[in-house]
Amino acid sequence: MKKSLLMIVFAFATMSIATSCREEKTTGEKIEEGMDDVGDEIEDGADEVEDAVEDATDDN
């Protein structure tokens, strides 16, 4: 009984330490990451439009 209780306590302590070591992002970092994602999506959309225009002009 003592060993199993000790193992449970050890496992809980290990999980707590691993969880607390996560790097938290600041609000500024979250905003910057969101802006980068939006910029990437706009760039991808522009590339798709460019490809569609090229395909349309090649067909004529």
Side-chain angles (χ1 to χ4, degrees), residues 14-33:
T14 303
M15 288 187 309
S16 297
I17 291 170
T19 303
S20 67
C21 290
R22 288 190 309 178
E23 190 173 312
E24 297 293 326
K25 292 183 181 179
T26 65
T27 303
E29 290 172 334
K30 290 177 185 177
I31 291 171
E32 183 179 351
E33 185 175 301

Side-chain angles (χ1 to χ4, degrees), residues 1-22:
M1 180 71 177
K2 235 181 189 182
K3 285 184 179 182
S4 62
L5 182 62
L6 183 60
M7 291 301 290
I8 291 171
V9 170
F10 179 73
F12 179 74
T14 303
M15 288 187 309
S16 297
I17 291 170
T19 303
S20 67
C21 290
R22 288 190 309 178

Side-chain angles (χ1 to χ4, degrees), residues 12 15-18 25 38-39 42 47 52 55 57-60:
F12 179 74
M15 288 187 309
S16 297
I17 291 170
K25 292 183 181 179
V38 169
I42 291 172
D47 288 341
D55 290 344
T57 56
D58 287 344
D59 290 340
N60 291 331

